Amino acid sequence: MLDQGAPPRTPRTEPVPAGLGTRLMRRKPVERLVAEGGQGEGGSLRRSLGLWQLTMISIGATLGTGIFVVLGEAVPKAGPAVTLSFVIAGLTALFSALSYAELAGTIPVAGSSYSYAYATMGEFVAWICGWCLVLEYGVSVAAVAVGWGEYLNELLDGTIGVTIPAALSAPPGDGGIFNLPALIVVLLAMAFLLGGARESARANTIMVCVKIAALLLFCAIGIKGFQSGNYEHFMPLGMAGVSAAGATLFFSYIGFDAASTAGEEAKNAQRDLPRAIMLSLIIVTALYVLVAAVAVGAKPWKQFSDSEAALAGIMKDVTGQTFWATLLAAGAVIAIASVVLTVLYGQTRVLFAMSRDGLVPKVFSKVHPKTGTPRANTVIVSLFCGVLAAAIPLGQLADATSIGTLFAFALVNIAVIVLRRTRPDMKRTFRVPLSPVLPILGFAFCVWMMGSLSTITWIVFGVWMAVGLVFYFCYGMRRSRLNDADARVDAPAVAEK
């Protein structure tokens, strides 16, 4: 029985914690994502990038080690039909690129696929996606930096006849003590990034133009050694060989999504991001096919034999001189340096977005007021990647970049379908044609390629994800800025008197 004389009880007003399932699935509204664009701790990112700079960032992150190294691995698998393999790999990348283009124009923020997942599939999926991006960008910077050291030695040998000793040009376990060139190129990229987005974009644009010129120079010289007989048996290993080479070459297209990480520094992100993504993919695919066609025409496919310097070897064979091969090596040094610069840029911007959401420490979202860049973020990430490249033999660990990328691509294709259903009224500056058919195909191709990766890659991926889950449940979920919103929603209304 109620005591009629007792004073009325004051309703409980402290927040009631949301259930675990609710917290894992909570989504960040698109409007909030866009409204927070550019805002960081102590300052804001500067919108200084136009369509040209965004396109160059995307090309810079894509066009590099793929064409200079992986061609020698793919030709023995497909023969002269490697040109067809490039087209197939390009089409596979196109499915995901279309999804990226739609979401980049709809949600123009720095987090790329992490932010897209946050808006459509919830915080837990977004964390997994962001953790995959950290793996993709961070390890790939280190792996590419190691490759830069190898080409630098070739360039030094061809110009002054001196090379960096193995003890200082290879990591422990690979015949060295410390890979000094790998650390140097990462620190150089860091210096450019600390100067500001506009300044680093200018440097990248110059480097991209140089490496495109180097590839066009190869085509102009290589065509002189072209022999139609090298194409007589176009598909010697059948369609299976073409498909196998296509799976290898797909990873030459990784990087076109780097433009989407510049969403908060673009002058007109909704208009320019979709255009930059699609334009860069078209340019890169055209260059890949052209270079592959000339390379196979100038050299019988059986003589490639997994050569890591196939293009330089062809230049030397056609001209009979080492000068042109050395010049191409110089182009490769610049090409790989631009990949380090743009991929490192993408890594810092993804962590910037995750930090702003509270999922990683605030230091990653602090913006320097003078340069408008996340300075502490850039230094921490650069030092980590530089030491990783200089002191650890990557081996199979580098393959983990592929699985992280494919996982993120798969989620982007799903995100397009989800956002179409949940927010059909949103303004979209670009729309994926034949949706949901093409996003479903993009998802299926990503899953298929993930399944073709080695067991050790899956083990590394599993360990990485386990570490990420521990970090999320111990730190990220507790510090998420959406906790404040949950507290407001869960607080009971004051009872009417």
Side-chain angles (χ1 to χ4, degrees):
M1 180 179 294
L2 296 175
D3 186 356
Q4 298 296 331
R9 297 176 62 184
T10 302
R12 181 166 57 92
T13 58
E14 65 271 16
V16 179
L20 178 61
T22 302
R23 297 176 75 178
L24 295 179
M25 297 299 293
R26 55 190 174 186
R27 293 178 292 182
K28 189 172 183 180
V30 174
E31 290 77 10
R32 182 173 174 180
L33 279 167
V34 176
E36 292 178 353
Q39 299 178 15
E41 295 288 333
S44 300
L45 302 177
R46 297 175 180 175
R47 294 191 177 276
S48 58
L49 305 178
L51 175 61
W52 174 252
Q53 290 90 344
L54 293 171
T55 304
M56 291 298 103
I57 288 175
S58 188
I59 295 176
T62 309
L63 189 64
T65 51
I67 192 61
F68 284 101
V69 176
V70 82
L71 181 65
E73 301 174 4
V75 172
K77 297 179 180 180
V82 69
T83 53
L84 182 58
S85 298
F86 268 115
V87 174
I88 293 174
L91 288 175
T92 303
L94 176 63
F95 292 134
S96 295
L98 290 170
S99 295
Y100 264 101
E102 176 168 329
L103 292 175
T106 308
I107 314 175
V109 293
S112 186
S113 52
Y114 154 77
S115 296
Y116 308 152
Y118 212 163
T120 56
M121 290 172 279
E123 183 174 285
F124 183 64
V125 176
W127 168 262
I128 293 176
C129 185
W131 196 242
C132 287
L133 291 177
V134 171
L135 176 67
E136 171 196 346
Y137 286 117
V139 179
S140 63
V141 166
V144 170
V146 171
W148 186 83
E150 295 175 358
Y151 274 101
L152 179 62
N153 257 342
E154 291 187 16
L155 177 61
L156 293 175
D157 184 42
T159 52
I160 60 178
V162 176
T163 59
I164 301 174
L168 295 177
S169 61
D174 286 350
I177 299 175
F178 193 78
N179 193 330
L180 184 61
L183 177 61
I184 289 175
V185 71
V186 175
L187 294 181
L188 287 174
M190 179 188 74
F192 280 115
L193 291 176
L194 290 176
R198 176 184 295 177
E199 290 72 16
S200 56
R202 287 174 179 170
N204 174 66
T205 298
I206 294 172
M207 288 188 285
V208 169
C209 291
V210 169
K211 64 183 177 182
I212 290 177
L215 291 174
L216 293 177
L217 176 66
F218 166 80
C219 293
I221 294 177
I223 197 69
K224 297 179 180 179
F226 189 92
Q227 298 180 14
S228 59
N230 291 336
Y231 277 93
E232 286 184 358
H233 303 287
F234 182 70
M235 201 180 295
L237 302 176
M239 195 61 199
V242 174
S243 300
T248 299
L249 293 171
F250 173 78
F251 306 115
S252 301
Y253 290 89
I254 292 175
F256 68 81
D257 58 321
S260 65
T261 64
E264 296 174 22
E265 291 162 284
K267 295 178 182 177
N268 191 338
Q270 289 187 310
R271 182 195 67 186
D272 292 340
L273 285 179
R275 295 179 180 180
I277 291 172
M278 300 308 301
L279 184 59
S280 64
L281 187 61
I282 292 172
I283 293 174
V284 168
T285 302
L287 278 172
Y288 280 168
V289 173
L290 178 62
V291 171
V294 172
V296 175
K299 185 175 183 177
W301 70 273
K302 291 183 180 180
Q303 296 180 16
F304 277 77
S305 64
D306 295 334
S307 171
E308 293 186 355
L311 300 187
I314 292 173
M315 294 276 276
K316 184 176 181 180
D317 293 340
V318 171
T319 62
Q321 302 175 4
T322 59
F323 170 78
W324 297 107
T326 302
L327 188 61
L328 188 68
V333 168
I334 295 174
I336 296 175
S338 72
V339 175
V340 173
L341 175 64
T342 49
V343 174
L344 191 64
Y345 169 85
Q347 171 77 98
T348 59
R349 270 44 179 185
V350 169
L351 284 172
F352 174 86
M354 297 177 72
S355 173
R356 185 173 56 200
D357 293 333
L359 302 186
V360 297
K362 289 184 179 180
V363 66
F364 290 101
S365 58
K366 289 184 177 180
V367 177
H368 193 271
K370 292 184 178 180
T371 61
T373 60
R375 175 171 290 186
N377 179 347
T378 303
V379 172
I380 293 171
V381 171
S382 299
L383 291 178
F384 172 79
C385 293
V387 172
L388 183 67
I392 300 178
L394 296 176
Q396 292 289 343
L397 182 61
D399 293 339
T401 62
S402 301
I403 196 169
T405 303
L406 288 168
F407 192 90
F409 283 9
L411 290 179
V412 167
N413 285 293
I414 296 176
V416 165
I417 299 174
V418 173
L419 197 62
R420 285 279 190 99
R421 290 181 175 274
T422 58
R423 299 295 303 274
D425 57 318
M426 288 192 66
K427 179 183 177 181
R428 291 169 170 82
T429 55
F430 178 86
R431 299 177 70 91
V432 179
L434 302 177
S435 181
V437 176
L438 292 187
I440 290 175
L441 285 175
F443 174 81
F445 272 103
C446 290
V447 172
W448 170 66
M449 288 192 174
M450 288 174 67
S452 66
L453 296 173
S454 65
T455 302
I456 186 63
T457 301
W458 278 97
I459 293 174
V460 171
F461 182 68
V463 172
W464 175 257
M465 294 310 301
V467 173
L469 292 178
V470 171
F471 187 91
Y472 172 72
F473 285 111
C474 294
Y475 182 93
M477 187 173 68
R478 299 173 183 271
R479 302 294 184 92
S480 172
R481 290 186 61 190
L482 289 189
N483 287 334
D484 298 335
D486 289 340
R488 290 192 297 270
V489 172
D490 291 333
V494 178
E496 296 181 0
K497 293 184 178 179

